[in-house]
Each structure stands twice: as C-alpha cells, then as structure tokens.
Amino acid sequence: MAKKKKIIPKFSRSKSKLGKAPGHISYVGSRDKVPSHLQLITYNENDFQQREVPYIKLPIKNELETSMLNVVGISDEDAINSIGIHYNLNNLLLEDVMDTLQRPKVDEYEEHLFGVFKMLYLDTTKQIKIEHVSLILLDKQVLIFQETDDDVFNGVRERIINKYGRIRSRGADYLFFALLDAIVDNYYVALDDVREELESLEEEVYENPTKDTARKIQTLKKEILRIRKWVFPVKEIVNRLLTTEHQLIQEDTKLFLRDTFDHCTEINEDIVLYREMVTSLMEMYMTNMSNKMNEVMKVLTVIASIFIPLTFIAGIYGMNFTNMPELNSPYGYPLVWASFFIIGLGLLIYFKKKGWL
Amino acid sequence: MAKKKKIIPKFSRSKSKLGKAPGHISYVGSRDKVPSHLQLITYNENDFQQREVPYIKLPIKNELETSMLNVVGISDEDAINSIGIHYNLNNLLLEDVMDTLQRPKVDEYEEHLFGVFKMLYLDTTKQIKIEHVSLILLDKQVLIFQETDDDVFNGVRERIINKYGRIRSRGADYLFFALLDAIVDNYYVALDDVREELESLEEEVYENPTKDTARKIQTLKKEILRIRKWVFPVKEIVNRLLTTEHQLIQEDTKLFLRDTFDHCTEINEDIVLYREMVTSLMEMYMTNMSNKMNEVMKVLTVIASIFIPLTFIAGIYGMNFTNMPELNSPYGYPLVWASFFIIGLGLLIYFKKKGWL
Amino acid sequence: MAKKKKIIPKFSRSKSKLGKAPGHISYVGSRDKVPSHLQLITYNENDFQQREVPYIKLPIKNELETSMLNVVGISDEDAINSIGIHYNLNNLLLEDVMDTLQRPKVDEYEEHLFGVFKMLYLDTTKQIKIEHVSLILLDKQVLIFQETDDDVFNGVRERIINKYGRIRSRGADYLFFALLDAIVDNYYVALDDVREELESLEEEVYENPTKDTARKIQTLKKEILRIRKWVFPVKEIVNRLLTTEHQLIQEDTKLFLRDTFDHCTEINEDIVLYREMVTSLMEMYMTNMSNKMNEVMKVLTVIASIFIPLTFIAGIYGMNFTNMPELNSPYGYPLVWASFFIIGLGLLIYFKKKGWL
Amino acid sequence: MAKKKKIIPKFSRSKSKLGKAPGHISYVGSRDKVPSHLQLITYNENDFQQREVPYIKLPIKNELETSMLNVVGISDEDAINSIGIHYNLNNLLLEDVMDTLQRPKVDEYEEHLFGVFKMLYLDTTKQIKIEHVSLILLDKQVLIFQETDDDVFNGVRERIINKYGRIRSRGADYLFFALLDAIVDNYYVALDDVREELESLEEEVYENPTKDTARKIQTLKKEILRIRKWVFPVKEIVNRLLTTEHQLIQEDTKLFLRDTFDHCTEINEDIVLYREMVTSLMEMYMTNMSNKMNEVMKVLTVIASIFIPLTFIAGIYGMNFTNMPELNSPYGYPLVWASFFIIGLGLLIYFKKKGWL
Amino acid sequence: MAKKKKIIPKFSRSKSKLGKAPGHISYVGSRDKVPSHLQLITYNENDFQQREVPYIKLPIKNELETSMLNVVGISDEDAINSIGIHYNLNNLLLEDVMDTLQRPKVDEYEEHLFGVFKMLYLDTTKQIKIEHVSLILLDKQVLIFQETDDDVFNGVRERIINKYGRIRSRGADYLFFALLDAIVDNYYVALDDVREELESLEEEVYENPTKDTARKIQTLKKEILRIRKWVFPVKEIVNRLLTTEHQLIQEDTKLFLRDTFDHCTEINEDIVLYREMVTSLMEMYMTNMSNKMNEVMKVLTVIASIFIPLTFIAGIYGMNFTNMPELNSPYGYPLVWASFFIIGLGLLIYFKKKGWL
C-alpha cells in the first residue's frame, strides 16, 4: 500500500480563527500545547556563549555583539505574548508566528524585519517533514520561533561555534541571511528525496507496474504539490529582500543573498520539472497498462480464433445424420486431423505475421 | 445520486436588463420580492446601541461615533431607491447593489467607497451558500446590503458588543475592513468543505469507484469553478484597497488589510490547487476503471483460453467416424483425461507466470 | 444530427483582398450586394424626429442637437464611398466598415472616433447570429453601419423616443456609449443560449449519451470559440475608451462606460468558464462511454465464463469412447447436472462478489 | 497515405555555421547554388522603368524618384558580397540575407532598415511554400533579396505599373510597407488552405475515419506549427515598426501599417484557434475510434452471449449417458427447440433493452 | 532497449553543500578529482603565442595584447583557490566555478564579468554531453574554466591562430562574446540530434510501433527537458549582456551579440516546439496502439461470431434424441451444410459492410 500523505492538515484555520479580530493571538496547528523554552547564542568576533534562558528574563542584554535566540514551541500563548511585549512586536506579527498554516512571507516593520518560512527536512523514517519557522531580525539580534527542537540551523550554529567563515565577524543581518540560506539549502534534501522516489517509481512503471503503482504516483504528485505550496513563494521573498532598503540590512550583506536567490530559482524550476515528470510517469503507466491489456486480448484472440473453428469442424462430424458418407470412409478421420493441422497452422502463421505472437 | 448544483442561476441578467439604460434600478436575482428592513448598530469607545429602524426615518443621525446599518432584503426597489436618495448614492451603484449576478468589485466615489462581494457559508444542510453583499463606506458609517438575515458578520457584531479588540476605538474605515475580513475568513469554511469532499471522493475512487463517482467528481469540479468565479477577483480588490488614497481610509488602518491580502493569496492558491487535485482525481478514476476492465478481460481470457481448447479435444472424440481406433482402446478415455489435466495445468501455469491470476 | 456551424465563413478575405492596396474599398462578406438605405433619428432634450434619408442628400444638417444615422447595407460601394466623402472619412476606415471579417477594434482619428464590433443576437430559429457593425462618433452625430435592418439598438431607440433616462439630455458621446453598451448587453443573450445548450448536453451525457452526443459537444465548443473570437477583444477596446482623451468624449460620460467594462470582464470570464465546462463534458462523455464498454465486457465475460466450462463438461460425455463407465452408471446423468449447477452457481457467486452483476 | 511535410529542413544550420565567426557570409539553405540576377523598377509620380541589371553595374543611379531592386537568388556569395559593398551593408546583415533558417526580424541600422520575413504561398500543386525574403529600406530605394523568381509582390508591381492607389506618389518607406503588407496578406492564403484541410478532415473524422486519418491530422498539426514558427514573430515586428523613429520612415506613412498590424493580430489569433481545433479533431477521432470499438464489442457480445448458452444445451443432449429419459420422450426434441427460441429471444430482448442492438 | 539518460546526476548538491557557508569552495560533480592544468593563448593583431603554463606562475604577464587562459579541471581545489587569489576573484564566484550543478547565469563584479554556462556537444558515441564551463572577462584577459580538454572553442582558437575575421584586431570583450557565441552555436548540434531522433521515432511510431517505442519517446522527452533546463536561461543572460553598461564591454562590441541573441530566441522556440512534437508523438503512439487493439478485437469478433453460431447448429444435430426426423432425411446433411454456407457467408458480408474485413 502506498503511504498516505495529507496535502492539507486535519485541523483547519477556519475553525480556529473564524470571527476573531485580526491580531488575535492563538496557536493554529496540529500539536498539543507545550510550554516554550528559549536557547540563546551570543557572539562577537572573538567570543561566544550558548545557554538556555527563561523567557521571563527577557529582554536579554547583549553582552556580546550579536545574538540569536531560538524560541522552541509556539503553542504557548503566554510565552509568545510576553516575548512580543519585551521586543515590542506587533500582534499581527505574533499571530503569524503561531499560525502554522501561514504562507511564507516577509513583512518589513520600522524596527524589525519579519519572515515566515517552512523548514523541510527528512525525519528518521525518511519522510519529508514540514515545519513552520519565523525569523525576526532586530537590531543586533535574530529571533527564531520554531515548533520543536529539530531544525535545519545546526550548520549555522557550528559555523558560529567553530568560527568558520565570515559569520562571527559580521552582524545580525548576515546571521538572518545565513539562517534563510540554511532553510533554502534544505529544500534540496526534500527535492532529492522526490527525485529518488521518482526514479524508483519510473523503474516500477517500466519493470513491474501494478494497480498500486498508480496510487503511488498520485501520492508523489501530491507530495510535490505540497512542497510547491510552501517553497514556491520563497523566491519572490528573497528577491524582495535583495531590493529592500530596510535600515537593518547593509548593502554589502545582500551580496550573499544573491546565491540564495539563484538556488530558489533552481529549486522552483526543478519543482516544475518534477511535476512534469510525474505527469509523464502517469501517462507512461497508463500506456503500459493499455499495452498489457493489448497482450491479454491477443492471447484470447489467438487461442479462441484457432480453436473455435476447429471445434466447429469436430462438431460437424459429431452430428448424427444417417447419411454422412465421410464418416464411413477410411480416410475421413485422418483427413479431419489433417484439416485440423492445416487450419491451425494457417491461423498460427497468420497471427505470427500480424506480430501477435 | 450526486447532488446537482447549478453553476449559473436559472434567472438570467439578459432577461432582466436587456434594453435598459445603465443605472436602471431593478432586482436581478432568484428570490421573491420582499420588503427591506434595517438594523442599526451605533457605537463609540464607551457605548453602543442596537435597534431596528424604518427606512423612511433615514438618514439616521449619528448619536454615537460610528454606525453600521444592515439593509436586509435587496429586492425592494422603493426602499433601495429611497435609501439611495438619503445617502446621495449614484444610480449605477444602486443597480449593482440589487444585481446578485454582479461580479465582486470596488468602486471609489468621491464621498464614499463601494464594494460588492459574495459571502460564502455553509447552510444548515452543509451546502455552500453564496450570497450577494454590498458594503458602502461613508463618513463615520458603513452600509451593508444583504439578501437575508443570514450573514457572516456575527463575529464583528460580537466584537463591537463585547468591546473585544480594537474595533470600538477605531473608525468606520476599520469597520469596513473588519467586515471584508470576515467575508474572506469565511471563504476558508467553503474551502474546507471542498477539501473534505475531495478527500472523501479520493477514498471512494481508491476503495469503491462506481459509475456515480465520476459524476460526483464533476460536480465537485463545478463547485470549485463556482467558488473560483466569485472568490478569485477579491484578491485584486483587496490589493487596490491597500494602495488606494481615498480620503475616508486612514493610512494606518490599511495595516490590518495586509493580513486579509495574505489570506486572499492563500485562498486563490488553494483554489488552483484543488482544481488540479480534482483533475488528478478524475484521471485516477479513469485509471482505476481501466484497471478493472483489465481484470474483467483477464478472467474472460483465462477461462476461455483454458476451456476452448479442451472442448475442442472433447469434440474430436465426439465425432462419429467409424474408423477411430482411439475410441476402442482401453487407454483412450483415461489418456484424454490426462491431456485435459496437462493442457489445463499448462495454461494455468502460463497465465500464472504472466501475472494474470 | 448535430447542426453544423462554420466557425469561419465560406468566403475568404484572401480572395477579396490579395494584391489590393490598403484602403481599397470593397465588400468582404457572404451576402448579395444590395443598395444601402439610411435611417435618421435626430433629437434634443425636448424634441425628436425619425425618417429615411437618401444618401445623396448628405451631409444632413443637424436640425436638432444630436443625430444618429443608421446606414443599412454595407455592400453598396457607391453609397459607402459617397458617405465617406460627405463625412470626410478615411479610406482605411471605409475599408474596415465593409469588411465583415474585420476584428473588433477602435481607431481614434482627429475628427472622429471609429469602432468596429460584432452584434450577437438570436434569430427567429434561436440560432446565434453574428453581424458586423461599425460605429463612428462625429461631432454631435453617430453613424452606424450595419448589414441588415435587424440590430440590437431598439432599446436605445426606445429610450430616445420615450425620453427614458438621461439619453435625450446628453450628447453624441453618450449615444455612442449607449450603443456600445447595447451591443455588449446582447452578448449575454448569446452566452445564455450557450449555457442552456451546455446544460441540456450535460443532461444528455449523463442520461442518454449516443454517438451523436460527441458531435454536439464539439459543435458547441466551436460555437464558443466563434463567440470568443468576436467578443474577447471588446474588453480591451472598452478599456482603451475608458482612458482615451479624445476631444469628442467628455470625462463624465466615461463613468457610464465603467459598467460596460465590468460586463465585458464578466463575459470574458464566462466564455473561459464555458470553454472549461465543455472540455469537462467531453471528458465525462468519454468516461461514460468507457463505462458502458465495461458493462458490455462484463456481460460477455459472465456469460462466456459460465457456459464455456459447462459446455466442456457436456462435451466430455459426448465423446464416443467405448470404455466410459460413467455413461452407464444410473447416477451419471444426474451427477453431471449437479456439477452444472454447482459450477454455474459457484461462478455466479464469484462474479457477484466481484461486483460484476 | 498522408503527404509528409518536414517541419524542419534537412540541411541544418549547425553544419553550415559551426565554428564560423559572426558575419561569415555563406548560403544556408536547401537549393543548389545559382548565380543571382537583378530586376529593377524605378518610378516617380509620372513615369516608371523596369529592367534587368547586372550586379557589377551597381550602385544604380536613381534616374527616377524611387526604385525597387529585386535580387533573385541568394546562394551566390560573390554577388551578395558585391551588392553589400555597393550599398555599404553590414556583414551581419548579409549573413542573415543568405540564411534561409533565419527567424523573422527587423534590425535598425543608421543608414538603412533591414527586415527578414518568410513569404507563404501556394505552389502549383496547392502545397504551401515557405520562402525566405529580406527587405532593405535605403534612402529612396528598397532592396529585396529572394530565392526564386516566384514571390508575392506582383500586386505591388501592378499598382506601380498601373499607377493604382497612392504608391507612385509616395516614397520608398511606403513601398517598404506595401511589400510587407503583401507578405502578410499572403499569410491569409496559407491559413485558408489550412482551414479547408481542417474542414475536409473534420468531414472525414465524422463520416469515414480510417487509420490514415490520424496521420493526416498530425500532419496538419505540424503544418500549423511550421506556419506558426515563421508567422508569429511578424506581429511583434510590425509593432516595432509602428513605434520606430527611424529617419527613413515618415510619421504619416506609419498610418498604413496599422492595418497590417490588425491583420497580424488576426492571423496570430487564427493560428492559435486552428491549433485548438486540430487538437479537438484528434480528440474526436479517438472518441470515434473508441465508439467503433464499442460497436465491435457489442456485436461479439450479443452473438457469443446468445449462442454459447444454446450450444451448451445442445451439448447436454449430445451426451451419451444411457440413462437420459428426455432423449426418448417424443416431446424432448421439440421442447429443446422451444428452449432455444425462448432463451435466444429472451437474450435478444435483454440486449435490445440495453440498447446494444 | 531504449538507452537510459538520467535527467539529474547521481551526486546531489544537498550532500555536498548542506551546512556549509556561502562561498565555501568545493567541487560538486560526478568526476574523480584530478589536478588542473592551464593552456594559454595570447595574441595581438600581428602575433600570437600558445603554451601550457603552471598555475603557480600566475598571474601571467600579458606579453601580447589579449590573452585567453583555459583552466582544464575544476575539481582541484588548491589550483582553483590559488587562481582565485592571483586574479582577485570572489569566493562566491569560485564556488560557482566548481559547482557543475550551477544554473547558467551572469554576475557583474566591478573588476570582472562572470558567466556560467553549459556546453552541449555530441561525444564519439553520438550522445549529447553536457559540460559545465565558466567564463570570466578581465581587463585584456578571458579565463575559461572547464572540466575536460574537450570543449566547443576550437573554432574560436582557429580564428585566432589563422587570423580569420575580426578576432585578432579586437579586445578581450570580443573574445568573451565569441566564446559565448560558440557555446550557443553548439546548442544547434544538440537540437539537430534531437530532431533526428524525433524523426526516426516518428517513423517508428507510424511504421512499426512496439512496447519499447513508448519508452524511447519518454526518454527523448526527458532529454529535451534536460536540454531545456540548461539552455533556456541563456537567452535572458544574453539579453542582460546586451544592455549591460559594464566598463569592460565596449558599446560597439555588443552589436555582435545581437546575432547570438537571435539564435537564443530561435533555440528556445525550437525547444518548445520539439516538446510539443514529442507530446504529439506520444499521443500518436497511443492512437496507433488503440487502433491495433481495435484490429485484434475485430479478428476475434469476426471469427467467433461466424463459428459460434455454426457450432451451435452442428451441436443441435449432435444431440441424441431418438425422435429427430431431420437426421434420417437424405437431405438433412446437405441442408445443414447449405445452412453453414449461407449463415457464414451472410455474416462475412455483414462484417465486410461494417468495414471490419
């Protein structure tokens, strides 16, 4: 059985939000509510610190140059609200932070830059997981809101810890872009998974298509549509960041985003390509199925077409007419056998020539 | 039987309007004409009132800061006309108010802002109802024209009554946007209904497709097309409101519309997605049907291919030739049975190998 | 038999125009040449006159404020040419007036505004007729060139005659727009006809599809394509008129065109929608046909699969071996009948379980 | 057999051009190389001359006002090169003149205007021929480069010779546009041919579809794609000419190009339309084929379903059991016949009711 | 068996790059790592030199006017890094040089212009090879980074060596464009290969379609998609170069790029066209297969429909009723034969009339 993937989660925004004012803060998602906890990394060119902080101690003083604050768990309305107050964040913004159905977007506020994205990564069972993540760029700080401890930012953390590359010597805007770049890089992982599934299904369609194959193809198509839904808008967002004149972003930092933009372009092209290939695959499946049917019909036709006439001949000499001279002729029976062979052979040759054998 | 939904109402604009001048006020719709009645809510930050008013008492003096006037029933030409005169509304505007076939749009007049929309909501039988609604933003007032008492604005009314959120402290432009936001939020309800139908049909296609399934899929497709017709244009309208410089709309109120715009984007994307999924479903249905046909053909082929040759052999020894030595041999009959088994088994093995059993 | 509709007329422009200079005046159309005749309506706010005029008496002095001159018959080259000279019209313009294959368009000349459109209306046999019409806005006059006496302007004439609405008190530019509005309003009539045909075909596809149904669907599709060809460009034309700064058009008259533009938008959307629905219908037809085939195959399979094995058994005991002990057993014959019933019943139950009965 | 048309010529640019510098002058085409010859027409308002000129006598002095020089044969590199030198033409331009695979385009040079187009016309066997033609507008001269003596400019030549229309009194820019207009007008001829083929194929699909019909439809589709390839870009080119500010083109001459632009718009729309219609035709063909298959299956089903059960009954009474009381009953044989009739008739009525007869 | 072509290479960027900082230099590709080597050509109008240089001797002094440096092998991180330092190249640029999955693009840096492209050429087995190539335009130098010694630049080298055309007298910007032009010209070779495959498959579909044909068509479709992926973006890149105002590119050199742009337009149109034709081919294949199935069914129907009724008649007279007067009639047997002929012939004529024979 093909695994079932829901393109749309079971919970629905309409139930959570209907009749509420815009800016109403409440969690929209499929998880149980858990308290949020906060992980802080602060660093400058020479030093860095990493620790858990309770949210009631906010705002954190920036002992070092730049800090990155992971808020893990977005269903805790009190925590989110209190963080919002500490950092002076708009309620509309907080609403999006807690709404796991929110489409990727970037909003520019005077004091901060707010982005909503989806992280895609393979979980331990090699299924693609899609997680809601919000990034907020403040002066010398980046806030990250995420649902669970799993994220795609370990590479960034290691670069900070190990002082690899430019990250320690550059500001919060570079960090913001590095996180975004990490999110986009992980889209390749999901696409590679899709590509592998595509290739294995292609093999299956050509070598051993079954009734279940069609369902698997449709499931993959829905998976691609699901990825497209969350990944497609990111290109436009990165493009907007490339041209923004927000005060928190320095002109020369944008250079590093050009690369991310290239990747988005490529990812979107690949998604379109995979979509086309899945359609081709379904077409191919149907062609193969129809070819198989053809083969079934040919076997039936060949066998029926040969034996039905022969049975008729046998039927003739099974008739009980008193006056059938052939029956008493000594050549009668051998001649009938001869006619069986001649007719049978003739039809076989005919079908052979038709290419049905 | 799949329920029938008409994508286009039975009455037609061509019959009602042909040969009439633009601005000719007459009801275009499917309901019987009934007198309009008016419901008024007025409020300021501290106080609010709610009452029925007769339309002959118009215009209502704004005792409190802001007022919202629901005109229920749009088939009453006298009432609409008289309201139009009281509020100094253009005849072209009133024509659109009474034309339930009017496409969603926004028109900016110097003294007021006029919007036509469709409310979508589930009625008591869980069918999606589509209702014509017009919103007019005047100075400190919002007029709402709707066909029946049912609407999607109860959430807004409750926020006014219970003083929840910002609504009581902000002006008529905020109220106008809150109403529009309520309309858009309800589109999710319709889409959720579509999604559920889609999932239940998907189940049906995979588990137990019947002849009726195809019709149900087509019906759902038409439902999606119907929703698309009325919902798609709203995104463009909201976008225009976001950039309008109409004197009645304050710049900072527009902020709250950004959220509505995001929702419109998402809704339109979902409609496109559901459209694609319905097409996939139809494709899958046809593939399943063709697979079933395949199975039917295989059964026929297996049975016919095994028994037709055997019948031929039986036919041979049913012939009445006098000179058939096999007939008198004591091994004749057992050998024929042996041949039956060998041929039958051979063909069974062949079909097994082909994967037809 | 489905009625045949030619999407392209039998006569072709290539035969009429090849090798001619631009501006060469000659009739391109399917009718016999007949002399043109002219009908004049002049009016001001208080008065109006209506009469036939011979074209040699042109130009007509404007006794009253505004006049509308219908030129009926556009195959009369002498008349058209002479009218062109009287009103100082460009040869390129006259060429378009007489070319019934001309695509809808608007050309702005310094002294006049020229529009080509198609009138769509139902003739007495309920067929959609498409007629070429040209409108020329001059100072205080509108010229209308049409092929026959039938047109869609009677509503406008009645409004002039009965002084209904604004038309008598406004100038020639309002008249021009009113005529255009009448043309567009009649497109709804054609679309309603398409919609009804669509619904009746849908009924036919579901209830009683025949071989002819496919042809009818294709015919309707071609009808929609034909309407699209002539109706689609009008929206763009109306949009251009909305933004034109031609001296003959007053700014506040344009307001009335906004309504026409809305209608064009809706009409174009509906054409696209009907196109999609016709495609769905064809798909549904094919699905139904394939389902019917399925049913045919099932009947064949059930009957053949039951009786072929039984016939084989009967064949066995029709063999003439001398040594067949069953034949002489008194239980032989009843047991064979028993086996017939058991096998037949077993297969029936099997097919029942498969859902083929 | 359907006639074969190659959408792409057998010779390929890759073989002729690979590794050559841009501006390398060499013939790319399918014809044998022949020497070019030149035909000159010069004229002013009162006079005109027409003669052959050897290319070594170039440049020709303009005895009269305007001249049109046809260079026939574009495979003669010496001649083309020498003409290029005489008229001071760029090598990149000459390369395009000799490249019959060059896409239609217009290039503006300071001293001249260069256009590449394809002439489409029916040859004597009613096949659509596509010929490469280049037009160069110089001061008071138009150069035409063409492959053979056949072209679509005879109408223009006649208008010059017979002094018909404006052509003699206007300059080289008008001539350039007249030639372009002649090319575009001839596209209608090709499209009319496509339309007729479309209608005849439609007849064939409905009345008498054969295996060859599918191939004919595919061939027509490729013909439409071939025409589209060469004709589609012309609209954009004409649009650019309408807005060019090239010194050789007078503003009021552009008026005459508006008509050509309208034609291009219509032609492109028709090509899209024909493309859609060919797709519909293929769909219809497949539907008809599937309906025919249906009919075949019904005949098989009806005959097999009636006679297989009857044969079984006959088989029963062909069995040789000693103890079959029916065999000796005087009513046995008539009763069996009765059962044949009843069963046969019953099935016939059943199939009749199913609509299979 | 159709040859398998992977649209996506086996190695994946996600494995190579995940968690790395932008600008991290590492080879992304399918080859084993080999040391790079460098080939230098320097030239001015009168002279030229060609030699291998070790990369440790960089930067090379420009003895002559212009130089072209081929870096062969891009998996050697030390070499690439050291070249980058010598020429002052950005790490982000070097990252793209070594990433064979990088999409075609152009980046403008202040001191140099950087382009990434794919070379397409046929290898010795006539397979299309796709190779990553980077071009960097510096002051008076062009750097080329390529994977192997095979490239598409031999034509350019010959023009330099043999002093053919303008190349020796013009600067590095002309060289840069000449190399780009050579890359684009070679796309025609790949497209010609696709076209030939398309024509041979078309032949196969019409003349001798097998089960393998469908797979070959799908393989060609994927090949076209693969080419499209790498070739499509080039047009946009060339367009950007046409409008760039980079200091290293002289205005009059751009003229030569116009030709390249035309070619890109044509190539992209052809790719779209081939894509459409492959879809048509698949459609045609399925139609042919369905026609073949039709034929199989007709043979079965004709044979079964003729012989099943005849066998029934023979069965009747094989019954053992004692009271069958026909059996003893001397005309019985001949009359049965007559009925065989009449019924058989009648059915044959019927099928002939149906067109099934």
Side-chain angles (χ1 to χ4, degrees), chain B residues 144-156:
Chain B
I144 304 168
F145 292 84
Q146 62 196 68
E147 282 219 84
T148 69
D149 283 304
D150 297 327
D151 62 28
V152 300
F153 303 133
N154 285 331
V156 176

Side-chain angles (χ1 to χ4, degrees), chain C residues 8 12-14 24 103 105 221-222 228-229 275 282 293 295 297 317 319-320 327 333, chain D residues 159 164 188 192 195 202 262 266 269-270 276 280 283-284 294 297 319-320 322 326 354:
Chain C
I8 308 132
S12 91
R13 180 184 281 158
S14 69
H24 174 79
R103 213 175 152 263
K105 70 166 179 176
K221 191 180 187 175
K222 276 166 66 182
R228 189 183 68 178
K229 182 179 166 77
R275 182 83 172 71
M282 195 69 206
M293 176 101 156
E295 207 188 339
M297 295 313 300
Y317 296 104
M319 292 193 294
N320 297 321
L327 293 180
Y333 187 53
Chain D
R159 274 150 59 196
Y164 178 84
Y188 283 112
D192 281 349
R195 173 172 58 79
E202 196 178 5
D262 282 353
E266 196 189 326
E269 283 182 0
D270 282 354
E276 281 185 86
S280 287
E283 188 184 273
M284 197 62 218
N294 236 331
M297 295 313 300
M319 292 193 295
N320 297 321
T322 43
E326 303 96 315
K354 284 262 182 195

Side-chain angles (χ1 to χ4, degrees), chain E residues 32-125:
Chain E
D32 298 330
K33 297 203 179 187
V34 292
S36 307
H37 64 276
L38 281 67
Q39 291 165 341
L40 179 73
I41 298 179
T42 63
Y43 60 88
N44 62 15
E45 188 141 17
N46 304 310
D47 216 353
F48 92 95
Q49 291 176 14
Q50 181 171 19
R51 68 172 189 277
E52 292 268 324
V53 286
Y55 71 82
I56 48 172
K57 293 243 174 124
L58 291 174
I60 293 137
K61 213 174 58 171
N62 249 359
E63 298 105 353
L64 301 173
E65 188 66 22
T66 312
S67 70
M68 156 175 165
L69 182 71
N70 278 71
V71 181
V72 178
I74 57 173
S75 55
D76 181 347
E77 281 148 30
D78 293 338
I80 302 298
N81 205 24
S82 132
I83 294 166
I85 291 163
H86 284 308
Y87 286 100
N88 196 23
L89 303 174
N90 192 310
N91 270 14
L92 288 168
L93 182 159
L94 294 178
E95 191 186 1
D96 294 336
V97 162
M98 299 179 76
D99 179 358
T100 62
L101 292 178
Q102 174 61 43
R103 214 176 151 262
K105 70 165 178 176
V106 145
D107 280 344
E108 296 185 26
Y109 293 87
E110 204 151 324
E111 301 289 317
H112 43 263
L113 191 73
F114 172 55
V116 179
F117 303 96
K118 300 289 158 183
M119 298 188 286
L120 271 65
Y121 57 87
L122 298 183
D123 67 8
T124 46
T125 64

Side-chain angles (χ1 to χ4, degrees), chain E residues 43 52 100 105 112 115 121 128 143 153 169 173 181 220 225 255 262 283 287 319 342:
Chain E
Y43 60 88
E52 292 268 324
T100 62
K105 70 165 178 176
H112 43 263
Y121 57 87
I128 296 173
L143 304 189
F153 303 133
S169 57
D173 55 345
D181 189 59
L220 183 59
L225 291 177
L255 242 181
D262 283 353
E283 186 184 274
T287 305
M319 292 193 294
I342 288 165

Side-chain angles (χ1 to χ4, degrees), chain D residues 156-350:
Chain D
V156 176
R157 287 191 193 97
E158 272 165 37
R159 274 150 59 196
I160 295 174
I161 293 169
N162 302 325
K163 212 176 161 177
Y164 178 84
R166 257 167 299 247
I167 198 158
R168 286 273 283 274
S169 57
R170 290 187 148 266
D173 55 344
Y174 186 89
L175 175 59
F176 185 83
F177 286 175
L179 293 168
L180 176 50
D181 189 60
I183 291 170
V184 171
D185 273 358
N186 269 277
Y187 293 161
Y188 283 112
V189 181
L191 288 188
D192 281 349
D193 188 65
V194 166
R195 173 172 58 79
E196 274 163 31
E197 181 77 6
L198 206 51
E199 281 173 2
S200 109
L201 275 176
E202 196 178 5
E203 207 60 33
E204 190 172 323
V205 163
Y206 283 117
E207 303 311 336
N208 184 29
T210 67
K211 272 176 64 181
D212 203 32
T213 308
R215 186 162 198 168
K216 281 188 204 160
I217 296 173
Q218 292 294 335
T219 304
L220 183 60
K221 191 180 187 174
K222 276 165 65 182
E223 183 76 355
I224 291 170
L225 291 178
R226 192 169 69 122
I227 292 174
R228 190 183 67 178
K229 182 179 165 78
W230 299 122
V231 169
F232 244 62
V234 176
K235 182 183 169 186
E236 183 198 319
I237 291 170
V238 173
N239 194 31
R240 259 186 61 200
L241 288 176
L242 271 172
T243 55
T244 184
E245 303 197 342
H246 198 280
Q247 47 132 326
L248 286 178
I249 293 180
Q250 284 177 284
E251 209 47 42
D252 63 338
T253 316
K254 282 188 200 168
L255 242 182
F256 297 93
L257 207 58
R258 263 202 337 205
D259 206 49
T260 311
F261 182 72
D262 282 353
H263 290 177
C264 286
T265 304
E266 196 189 326
I267 285 164
N268 287 9
E269 283 182 0
D270 282 354
I271 290 174
V272 170
L273 184 64
Y274 292 166
R275 182 85 172 69
E276 281 185 86
M277 286 167 76
V278 147
T279 304
S280 287
L281 210 55
M282 196 68 204
E283 188 184 273
M284 197 62 218
Y285 171 78
M286 288 197 274
T287 304
N288 273 8
M289 277 307 173
S290 150
N291 278 341
K292 283 195 148 188
M293 176 100 157
N294 236 331
E295 208 187 340
V296 170
M297 295 313 300
K298 277 180 199 164
V299 167
L300 175 59
T301 299
V302 167
I303 290 184
S305 300
I306 289 175
F307 287 103
I308 285 177
L310 299 188
T311 304
F312 165 61
I313 292 171
I316 292 171
Y317 295 105
M319 292 193 295
N320 297 321
F321 287 101
T322 43
N323 178 23
M324 289 173 72
E326 303 96 315
L327 293 180
N328 301 313
S329 151
Y331 305 115
Y333 187 52
L335 279 174
V336 163
W337 269 107
S339 77
F340 289 161
F341 278 108
I342 288 165
I343 292 172
L345 210 73
L347 286 165
L348 272 177
I349 289 167
Y350 174 74

Side-chain angles (χ1 to χ4, degrees), chain C residues 223-241:
Chain C
E223 183 76 355
I224 292 170
L225 291 178
R226 191 168 71 121
I227 293 174
R228 189 183 68 178
K229 182 179 166 77
W230 299 122
V231 169
F232 244 62
V234 176
K235 182 184 169 187
E236 184 198 318
I237 290 170
V238 173
N239 194 31
R240 259 186 61 201
L241 288 175

Side-chain angles (χ1 to χ4, degrees), chain D residues 128-139:
Chain D
I128 296 173
K129 274 188 78 175
I130 296 185
E131 289 291 346
H132 185 67
V133 66
S134 309
L135 305 180
I136 302 172
L137 171 63
L138 301 157
D139 185 28

